[in-house]
Amino acid sequence: MLFAGKNRQKPEQTREERSLYPILHVAGSLKEYQKELVQKEVASLWELSLVGTSFSSVLKEADHFQAKLQDLGASFSNINQTAEQFIQVRGEIAQSVSEAQGQMEELGKTSTKKYDAIEAAVCPDKRVRGLLQFYGANRTGRWAGRPAGIGCSVPARRRPGPGGEARRRPV
């Protein structure tokens, strides 16, 4: 029994099977090749879907980026408008400063003693008293200005008010 399988003979292939072997081998190889092609095509389609997804996300980001750029462009136009307004205001301020400097130079030429004397002559009832004195000019019988002359050289339109601020006289 141990060696019973040794005497057994293998079934011989028939002539028909031998003649079909090359065709069956080619058919099996084609089947395996087709299976590999289908697997590769499925993998390619999967990769294409990933590329499509990536591409659509890139397009969305590009749209978002373009919207941001448009907002930035609008911001720059607003900045340019603000800069133009700033330049205009700066010019106005420079003009005001130069006018104020001119006025300060003009005020620097004026004596302030007469203003101090007029302020000293203001009484508690807000009236100015003692500006005129009869027989003041060496007993000639003429009126004299004390402590500040009535006709002192205070500019007509820039006489200081009671608080010292300059006010305009109505024309």
Side-chain angles (χ1 to χ4, degrees), residues 3-168:
F3 300 105
K6 232 179 181 183
N7 292 336
R8 212 188 259 172
Q9 291 183 3
K10 293 182 183 176
E12 286 189 29
Q13 293 181 343
T14 62
R15 190 170 214 196
E16 222 177 273
E17 287 180 8
R18 279 190 231 163
S19 65
L20 291 179
Y21 178 75
I23 296 172
L24 291 175
H25 179 67
V26 169
S29 296
L30 285 175
K31 191 174 184 181
E32 287 177 24
Y33 182 70
Q34 185 180 12
K35 189 185 275 186
E36 287 177 23
L37 280 179
V38 168
Q39 288 175 349
K40 286 182 180 179
E41 188 174 350
V42 167
S44 297
L45 289 174
W46 178 254
E47 287 178 9
L48 278 175
S49 71
L50 290 176
V51 168
T53 304
S54 299
F55 190 70
S56 65
S57 68
V58 167
L59 286 177
K60 286 179 185 177
E61 286 189 32
D63 290 340
H64 180 69
F65 183 68
Q66 189 168 8
K68 289 277 190 183
L69 281 177
Q70 288 175 350
D71 291 343
L72 187 65
S75 297
F76 275 122
S77 67
N78 289 341
I79 288 172
N80 287 337
Q81 290 173 353
T82 305
E84 290 171 3
Q85 291 174 353
F86 178 74
I87 290 170
Q88 183 181 8
V89 168
R90 188 176 72 180
E92 292 173 2
I93 289 172
Q95 184 180 3
S96 298
V97 166
S98 64
E99 287 176 11
Q101 285 176 342
Q103 291 175 355
M104 289 299 294
E105 287 176 10
E106 191 177 312
L107 287 175
K109 296 176 186 176
T110 308
S111 172
T112 58
K113 287 185 181 180
K114 53 190 159 197
Y115 298 120
D116 295 337
I118 292 172
E119 274 187 23
V122 174
C123 293
D125 62 352
K126 305 250 182 202
R127 292 183 180 192
V128 179
R129 300 181 192 274
L131 288 180
L132 293 174
Q133 180 183 8
F134 189 65
Y135 272 89
N138 199 10
R139 297 183 183 256
T140 59
R142 290 181 285 163
W143 289 92
R146 302 275 192 258
I150 296 296
C152 62
S153 61
V154 176
R157 294 188 177 263
R158 292 191 184 94
R159 290 186 181 145
E165 69 275 354
R167 60 184 170 96
R168 289 186 168 260

